[in-house]
């Protein structure tokens, strides 16, 4: 294997802003370097491509030690919304777009987006529930076929 | 410091071939760097991006991100990737005589 990465397939399995952004940034960064990129959304990661939910993804304030706050504070009404608003503002400053805009940007950059069939069936979702940038709903076998010859990153 | 010759001009570059002194930049140098990057000819659409990047660099000291270029209606994300295939922000900055973009997006 020589030094250069030619292709990555990134799995986004977690919901919440901190679950969704790392994979989006890595996929977009791959395209910026001319690396072929696929995104595979599974479990709560599907929120990022579900039309009804993608604009309302929040930071988890309970059970999130990274926030450096006691979990009990996180249960206060409006706390998650406040933390989310603060984080969005900080991200906008460094040019990281909100999730719906980011999804459109990576898709325009040539990254292909897929939804996990098992989760789609489990949640009773349909292709129409997803944003138009989603290429198709695929099973794990197809995901491996699409990922062939590249690196797979699970987030 | 490494140097590169473009036509009759010899310019200082960093290890990755980005010019270190934007004031030495000329349109001829840009065309030569573009050819190195696999872009045979710079069209008006390329120049629009290049000139906008230089303008923003003069104002902020940073090459603009892809998002800033698309939000500022300079060029859409799709067109940017089509104009500078295989690394739009990096290639456009290099052709524009600017330092390598540092941002992640």
């Amino acid at each position: 294997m020589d030094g250069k990465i030619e292709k990555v397939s990134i799995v986004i399995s977690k919901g919440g802003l901190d679950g969704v952004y790392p994979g989006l940034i890595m996929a977009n960064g791959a395209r910026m370097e001319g690396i072929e990129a696929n995104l595979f959304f599974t479990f709560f990661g599907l929120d990022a491509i579900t039309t009804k939910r993608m604009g309302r993804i929040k930071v988890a304030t309970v059970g999130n030690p990274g926030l450096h706050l006691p979990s009990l504070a996180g249960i206060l009404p409006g706390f998650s919304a406040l933390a989310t608003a603060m984080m969005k503002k900080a991200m906008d400053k460094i040019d990281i777009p909100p999730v719906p805009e980011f999804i459109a940007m990576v898709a325009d950059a040539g990254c292909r987006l897929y939804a996990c069939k098992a989760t789609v069936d489990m949640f009773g979702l349909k292709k129409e529930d997803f944003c138009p940038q989603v290429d198709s709903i695929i099973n794990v076998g197809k995901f491996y076929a699409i990922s062939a010859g590249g690196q797979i990153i699970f987030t | 410091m490494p140097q590169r010759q473009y036509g009759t001009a010899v310019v200082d570059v960093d290890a990755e071939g980005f010019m270190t002194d934007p004031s030495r930049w000329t349109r001829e140098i840009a065309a030569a760097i573009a050819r190195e990057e696999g872009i045979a000819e710079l069209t008006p659409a390329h120049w629009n991006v290049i000139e906008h990047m230089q303008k923003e660099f003069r104002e902020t000291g940073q090459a603009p991100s892809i998002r800033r270029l698309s939000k500022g209606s300079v060029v859409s994300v799709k067109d940017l990737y089509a104009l500078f295939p295989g690394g739009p922000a990096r290639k456009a900055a290099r052709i524009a005589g600017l330092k390598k973009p540092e941002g992640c997006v």
Side-chain angles (χ1 to χ4, degrees), chain B residues 54-75:
Chain B
Q54 292 173 330
K55 180 169 168 276
E56 178 128 353
F57 184 83
R58 280 193 299 274
E59 288 164 3
T60 67
Q62 285 289 329
S65 66
I66 291 175
R67 184 187 184 213
R68 281 185 72 90
L69 288 171
S70 66
K71 273 199 118 177
S73 309
V74 179
V75 60

Side-chain angles (χ1 to χ4, degrees), chain A residues 52-96:
Chain A
K52 265 200 310 211
R53 296 184 184 272
M54 61 197 296
R56 301 180 192 176
I57 294 176
K58 291 193 168 58
V59 186
T61 49
V62 175
N64 185 351
L67 276 186
H68 314 297
L69 288 166
S71 270
L72 272 177
I75 66 169
L76 296 173
F79 199 82
S80 180
L82 177 72
T84 303
M86 283 167 64
M87 192 174 279
K88 279 187 172 165
K89 219 171 141 188
M91 287 193 297
D92 193 63
K93 238 191 208 162
I94 56 167
D95 254 338
I96 297 179

